[in-house]
Amino acid sequence: MPIDIKKIQETFETANYIDTSKTVWNYSLLTEEDVRNFQNGTNYSLYEKFGSHSIQVNGEWGMYFCVWAPNAEFVFVTGNFNDWNKITHPLTARWDHSGIWEGFIPGFKLGELYKYHIVGAQNTVTDKGDPFAHYWELRPMTASISWDLHYEWKDAEWMATRKKKNALDAPWSVYEVHLGSWQRPDPSDEHSYNSYDQLVANLVPYVKEMGFTHVELMPVTEYPFDGSWGYQTTGYFAPTSRFGDPQGFMRLVDAFHQAGIGVILDWVPSHFPYDAHGLYLFDGEHTYEYADMRKGYHPDWNSYIFNYKRGEVKSFLISSARFWLEQFHIDGLRVDAVSSMLKLNYSRNEGEWEPNEFGGDGNLEAITFIKHLNETIYRDFPDVQTIAEEATDWPGVSRPTFEDGLGFGMKWMMGWMHDSLDYFKLDPLHRKYHQNDFTFSMMYYYDENFMLPISHDEVVHGKSPLIYKMPGDLWQKFANLRLFFTYMWTHPGAKLLFMGSEFGQTSEWNYKSQLDWSLLQHDSHKGAQQCLRALNAVLVQEPAMYANQFNTDGFEWVDLEHRAESVIVYKRKGLQPEDDLLVLLNMTPEVRYDWVVTVSGKAYTEELFNSDGKEYDGTGDVFNKDIRMEVIDETTQQFKITLNLPPLAGIILK
């Protein structure tokens, strides 16, 4: 429930004398309970009072400022409102030694540039952006901008029904997008961006047409360096100004919701950059990060790790998570680099880390933080999901905290990704020797609620685009790609595909450019796109594809006994037997005529999908208009099915 600012103001003004003769009036919106919870790590709505807020005091409009700088000797507000004078507008430290500085500046308007000029311990001097700012200057400029978040949402229908659409027994087909490089007004200009409103006009209809249920946006939290792709965040409470103002981003989320599409954000509570205007050495000391660089410095990313032991930092991070869910109606958070948070020895050699108090390598403070994060989110927003990008064998990542899990809703299935791509890279003639690698995912699939990811990380830095991971000539590459899509979409679990992969992007992802949309003039690329679109339709329309996607009732191997031919058969099972689907994958380019499969439970009489279809630029001449079926045993419901298997293709029977 939103706070009652007016009631808080009346209470403060009744109990305190406000000296209006100074440039900054002594003023506070904080209660003792606010401060106590902030220090204890349990104030999860800091954005309601910290930062800058336009309010009226003694009949005069202005801006209330509130910032945490516990090691500061002085904190001033500087900006274009005072010609960037560093010392004319000092904030006041609270009497309770909380390290919070605050005050009200009359006449301060929305849309003003500002920073905090901080004189820290040992007279260190820094000019910092506001950690709670909702809007920032376009990089390379680094000032915060005073702003409000007023917006009239039009997604009431989505919000009222999204619990069902975001549930674990709902279809999940996620399109991963980097907003800057999906499409540009000028493809040759890396500084040319579509606005949030242009993305409403172009991206939303595309995702809708392709049939994806959700979109996942690589970080939109404000960041200074384009080359970090957003994973080096400085503004944890602000959508990036590269594409417009906060209301522009709200309109984008709103448009997705009105189109029936959920929005997931990449969110990075694991580390932050050392940019001078950011969180690093915020008041001259290690305030947000661990002081011990064995815990506080990340060698892989040349960045700094949050001090999860500190209650104020925990309040800051969980408030950030809630901010996006509450203020921007976000449907889920994909939490980045969870492995690096959990492990004290992550990317560190012996002697570069210190064990925890029990002698282990787990960061106990980070583990506690993650559990509290998920407990808070699912308590306050039971109709969203949190998704962990976690690559180790850490147990119970997507299990409830009351079962000693970390509490995420889902976890990326990195093992499936590596094993599947390794298998598909093989010459089809050699796949018969690696069937165990292909089927291994189902040995551990039920350990977690898994999302199958083919993300940006797999098509960059020399790893090649997805189409060129496939072997063979051009026709075989696209046949393999369509076969891979069929396998991925019929494997249990949620799906995530990085932009461009759906039409066979032929170059590695380049954040400075845009997707190669001109490729869609070619039948092979258009066919791959239409194949993926058709699979999305099957996913949404057939309950067997999602109703039991995270439990043992949803999948059954039917035939793994034809290694030599590399033909694999399995069922996807729904809540009712009549919903079951039969999937057949022919992993070689050899056509298999009159292929016999024995099934139980129900007969399959319709070819629902065939990745070799003409409409997908397949051969189109190996299909099953009439499936030949023979009853083996009516009592036990045993059937023999005879059909034709197209080359390097998957078919789905109903």
Side-chain angles (χ1 to χ4, degrees):
M1 180 179 295
I3 61 172
D4 189 340
I5 291 288
K6 187 174 181 181
K7 185 175 181 180
I8 293 171
Q9 289 183 272
E10 290 174 353
T11 302
F12 181 85
E13 291 165 15
T14 300
N16 296 272
Y17 167 73
I18 302 172
D19 186 351
T20 60
S21 67
K22 296 182 178 179
T23 57
V24 182
W25 298 359
N26 56 300
Y27 205 82
S28 180
L29 292 179
L30 299 177
T31 65
E32 291 183 16
E33 183 181 13
D34 289 333
V35 176
R36 184 167 58 252
N37 286 335
F38 173 53
Q39 293 173 320
N40 290 338
T42 54
N43 188 332
Y44 301 149
S45 300
L46 295 180
Y47 48 89
E48 293 181 337
K49 297 182 181 180
F50 280 67
S52 62
H53 296 271
S54 179
I55 61 173
Q56 193 175 34
V57 176
N58 284 359
E60 187 161 354
W61 281 98
M63 200 69 58
Y64 166 72
F65 292 90
C66 180
V67 63
W68 178 56
N71 302 294
E73 298 290 339
F74 302 97
V75 177
F76 304 88
V77 181
T78 180
N80 54 5
F81 76 101
N82 65 3
D83 295 324
W84 293 97
N85 189 299
K86 295 183 182 297
I87 60 173
T88 56
H89 288 77
L91 298 180
T92 301
R94 284 182 63 87
W95 57 269
D96 53 16
H97 305 293
S98 61
I100 298 170
W101 298 73
E102 54 189 345
F104 174 80
I105 301 179
F108 198 109
K109 296 179 173 58
L110 291 172
E112 293 274 8
L113 304 179
Y114 72 97
K115 283 187 177 182
Y116 295 119
H117 178 67
I118 301 174
V119 180
Q122 289 81 49
N123 290 318
T124 57
V125 177
T126 56
D127 289 319
K128 294 290 187 178
D130 188 343
F132 292 89
H134 300 323
Y135 195 22
W136 292 71
E137 277 190 292
L138 179 63
R139 58 94 186 91
M141 307 304 288
T142 57
S144 302
I145 304 174
S146 56
W147 206 257
D148 70 23
L149 295 178
H150 176 73
Y151 178 75
E152 298 293 335
W153 287 90
K154 302 175 182 66
D155 63 349
E157 181 179 352
W158 171 269
M159 295 299 286
T161 60
R162 73 173 182 172
K163 184 172 184 178
K164 182 178 180 180
K165 295 175 181 176
N166 291 335
L168 293 177
D169 60 356
W172 281 80
S173 174
V174 183
Y175 189 55
E176 186 189 29
V177 177
H178 179 262
L179 289 178
S181 60
W182 180 76
Q183 199 176 74
R184 293 182 186 274
D186 182 353
S188 64
D189 181 4
E190 65 179 282
H191 303 297
S192 167
Y193 290 114
N194 280 318
S195 68
Y196 288 121
D197 290 324
Q198 287 171 313
L199 290 163
V200 167
N202 299 327
L203 176 61
V204 174
Y206 179 78
V207 176
K208 178 71 172 179
E209 180 187 1
M210 287 299 299
F212 288 99
T213 64
H214 294 75
V215 63
E216 180 174 319
L217 305 181
M218 291 170 65
V220 298
T221 43
E222 191 59 83
Y223 58 99
F225 176 47
D226 288 21
S228 77
W229 312 334
Y231 292 99
Q232 299 270 10
T233 296
T234 50
Y236 278 81
F237 295 84
T240 177
S241 58
R242 286 166 174 79
F243 317 113
D245 61 27
Q247 280 76 9
F249 183 60
M250 289 175 173
R251 288 192 293 274
L252 178 60
V253 175
D254 206 343
F256 272 122
H257 285 173
Q258 292 178 60
I261 299 163
V263 180
I264 304 165
L265 291 190
D266 275 11
W267 183 65
V268 190
S270 48
H271 63 112
F272 58 87
Y274 57 84
D275 294 76
H277 66 286
L279 299 178
Y280 177 60
L281 292 176
F282 186 74
D283 53 13
E285 296 286 346
H286 298 289
T287 304
Y288 284 88
E289 67 273 15
Y290 285 110
D292 183 348
M293 287 297 98
R294 291 176 297 178
K295 293 175 72 173
Y297 176 71
H298 203 300
D300 281 359
W301 302 311
N302 195 23
S303 57
Y304 292 85
I305 300 170
F306 283 104
N307 183 349
Y308 306 107
K309 184 177 183 178
R310 196 157 195 171
E312 297 93 339
V313 173
K314 180 181 166 187
S315 291
F316 173 83
L317 286 172
I318 297 182
S319 290
S320 171
R322 290 188 75 260
F323 171 78
W324 295 102
L325 301 171
E326 180 176 85
Q327 300 293 318
F328 288 85
H329 292 197
I330 296 303
D331 299 285
L333 297 175
R334 179 268 200 183
V335 182
D336 183 65
V338 173
S339 302
S340 72
M341 299 169 67
L342 296 173
K343 294 278 196 174
L344 292 168
N345 58 356
Y346 186 88
S347 287
R348 298 181 190 273
N349 299 317
E350 188 174 349
E352 296 178 344
W353 63 283
E354 185 177 30
N356 61 37
E357 60 190 88
F358 301 108
D361 62 0
N363 186 333
L364 303 180
E365 298 143 8
I367 294 166
T368 299
F369 160 74
I370 289 170
K371 290 182 177 182
H372 288 175
L373 167 73
N374 285 316
E375 288 169 352
T376 302
I377 288 175
Y378 283 109
R379 179 196 70 194
D380 297 346
F381 304 93
D383 50 359
V384 307
Q385 295 292 343
T386 60
I387 304 163
E389 190 256 325
E390 202 283 321
T392 72
D393 58 357
W394 194 278
V397 172
S398 59
R399 295 292 176 256
T401 57
F402 59 77
E403 294 180 4
D404 201 30
L406 293 180
F408 288 98
M410 285 183 264
K411 170 183 172 174
W412 276 20
M413 197 175 187
M414 309 297 280
W416 170 88
M417 177 195 68
H418 293 303
D419 290 345
S420 298
L421 291 179
D422 286 347
Y423 179 87
F424 271 86
K425 289 175 185 176
L426 294 169
D427 185 310
L429 295 177
H430 298 151
R431 289 175 177 171
K432 59 188 174 183
Y433 305 116
H434 297 270
Q435 182 169 295
N436 288 348
D437 298 332
F438 178 81
T439 60
F440 181 63
S441 64
M442 293 310 300
M443 296 293 291
Y444 63 94
Y445 174 77
Y446 301 107
D447 293 347
E448 302 278 0
N449 299 332
F450 279 120
M451 174 176 280
L452 315 183
I454 299 296
S455 74
H456 62 276
D457 278 329
E458 302 315 306
V459 295
V460 73
H461 294 329
K463 295 180 182 178
S464 88
L466 188 58
I467 184 63
Y468 286 146
K469 297 180 192 295
M470 304 298 156
D473 58 23
L474 187 63
W475 185 89
Q476 289 195 359
K477 287 183 185 300
F478 276 95
N480 270 300
L481 181 65
R482 298 190 302 270
L483 174 58
F484 176 78
F485 285 157
T486 307
Y487 166 58
M488 179 177 177
W489 253 247
T490 57
H491 189 291
K495 334 292 177 192
L496 177 138
L497 188 69
F498 184 58
M499 63 182 198
S501 298
E502 77 274 15
F503 60 78
Q505 172 91 6
T506 55
S507 58
E508 285 191 337
W509 172 53
N510 179 2
Y511 74 90
K512 296 181 179 181
S513 185
Q514 69 167 12
L515 299 183
D516 297 330
W517 293 104
S518 62
L519 292 172
L520 287 171
Q521 66 185 304
H522 303 294
D523 290 343
S524 54
H525 294 275
K526 188 69 175 179
Q529 183 193 51
Q530 294 309 306
C531 176
L532 198 281
R533 181 184 179 191
L535 284 167
N536 274 333
V538 173
L539 175 68
V540 171
Q541 294 165 7
E542 297 296 330
M545 296 280 275
Y546 58 83
N548 289 317
Q549 63 187 331
F550 295 122
N551 65 63
T552 55
D553 295 332
F555 180 88
E556 178 186 325
W557 290 116
V558 173
D559 185 1
L560 294 176
E561 302 305 317
H562 290 86
R563 291 172 181 264
E565 297 89 350
S566 295
V567 174
I568 295 171
V569 185
Y570 51 85
K571 285 185 188 179
R572 289 302 311 276
K573 301 164 70 176
L575 298 176
Q576 305 298 328
E578 56 266 28
D579 293 334
D580 292 359
L581 302 175
L582 190 69
V583 181
L584 299 96
L585 306 178
N586 180 10
M587 300 295 192
T588 72
E590 183 175 345
V591 179
R592 308 288 181 183
Y593 290 107
D594 300 323
W595 189 264
V596 175
V597 180
T598 301
V599 296
S600 60
K602 62 169 279 189
Y604 296 87
T605 58
E606 175 190 354
E607 185 177 85
L608 188 65
F609 171 84
N610 184 329
S611 70
D612 190 49
K614 202 82 170 175
E615 62 271 38
Y616 314 134
D617 198 42
T619 68
D621 55 10
V622 183
F623 52 89
N624 296 278
K625 184 176 181 180
D626 298 308
I627 297 174
R628 291 158 282 172
M629 184 194 69
E630 178 182 339
V631 178
I632 298 176
D633 190 323
E634 191 168 342
T635 304
T636 60
Q637 292 288 287
Q638 295 283 319
F639 304 93
K640 183 175 78 172
I641 298 173
T642 304
L643 66 167
N644 303 320
L645 303 182
L648 288 173
I651 62 175
I652 304 174
L653 306 183
K654 187 176 181 180

